[in-house]
Amino acid sequence: MPAEGPVESPGTRAEPMRIAPEELAGFGYPQPVPRVEVRADLLPAVSVLSLVALVGLPLGWLWSRLAPPQASMIEANGELAPLLVVESYHRFDALALFLLLNFGAGLLVGAALWMLRGRRGPVVLVGAVLGSLVAGWLAMKMGASFAAGLHPLPPQPRPGDVVDAAPDVATAWAVVAQPMALSLAYGLAASWNGLDDLGRRLR
């Protein structure tokens, strides 16, 4: 006597199959928008901040060797006055060298940071920008200290003596050159990439 109802033949039952999110685009489904990984990138961002901040030490040393001193005369009140008018231009030379060195370092650090594909995103970028601010401040302070050691004043200066005044950075706003260059390099790379996750899943 035949069985009542439909009979299921063996081997025809469909088994569930998992489809990866990136494969849904082939079926017309939109891919999920990646979210910012804050917790996973927080510790790497702190490490990047510390490493980028150390860049200020060699930058300050290099600047102190390249920035020209200013031939000055000691006045009666103990102040230093440029010996010639053209000697006062060395203040601009020192500032321009500081800006160029920090801008170039920011471009290199931004390019190197982009190579960390697994950590691409705003969290690591913020850490690098803060680290580059610290690096600029260290370069300014340590560079002035190194330059003062290279061009020391006489132990007993007298009015009328001609000395080489150590170079200095005329404005503290120069520390923003490195984070600006870093953000520019990283932003250009991110815009050229064009992926929602900046290529993190391709690692």
Side-chain angles (χ1 to χ4, degrees):
M1 182 176 182
E4 297 181 359
V7 178
E8 181 177 332
S9 60
T12 60
R13 177 176 297 179
E15 296 182 359
M17 183 178 61
R18 184 181 182 274
I19 300 178
E22 57 270 14
E23 297 178 359
L24 293 177
F27 298 95
Y29 294 96
Q31 296 189 25
V33 178
R35 297 182 178 180
V36 178
E37 298 288 345
V38 177
R39 182 176 300 179
D41 291 350
L42 191 58
L43 184 58
V46 174
S47 302
V48 168
L49 189 154
S50 303
L51 290 176
V52 174
L54 295 179
V55 176
L57 296 178
L59 279 180
W61 181 88
L62 183 60
W63 174 83
S64 67
R65 264 60 181 175
L66 295 178
Q70 179 177 279
S72 305
M73 184 177 63
I74 300 178
E75 296 181 336
N77 57 359
E79 298 291 333
L80 296 176
L83 188 61
L84 299 173
V85 176
V86 294
E87 289 293 329
S88 62
Y89 297 161
H90 288 327
R91 286 178 59 84
F92 171 77
D93 298 336
L95 177 61
L97 281 172
F98 186 86
L99 291 174
L100 288 175
L101 287 175
N102 279 270
F103 195 85
L107 291 178
L108 292 177
V109 172
L113 187 66
W114 181 255
M115 295 295 102
L116 300 176
R117 170 172 288 180
R119 298 302 178 188
R120 290 176 182 174
V123 178
V124 173
L125 177 60
V126 170
V129 168
L130 294 178
S132 61
L133 277 175
V134 178
W137 181 82
L138 276 178
M140 183 173 61
K141 295 299 182 181
M142 296 304 297
S145 179
F146 292 144
L150 286 175
H151 309 284
L153 294 176
Q156 295 180 348
R158 294 177 298 177
D161 289 347
V162 177
V163 297
D164 285 336
D168 61 344
V169 181
T171 174
W173 285 103
V175 299
V176 303
Q178 190 175 154
M180 286 180 60
L182 189 150
S183 302
L184 176 63
Y186 203 87
L188 287 176
S191 61
W192 185 269
N193 180 267
L195 298 176
D196 291 337
D197 63 343
L198 300 180
R200 288 173 63 119
R201 290 200 302 265
L202 300 179
R203 63 184 185 274

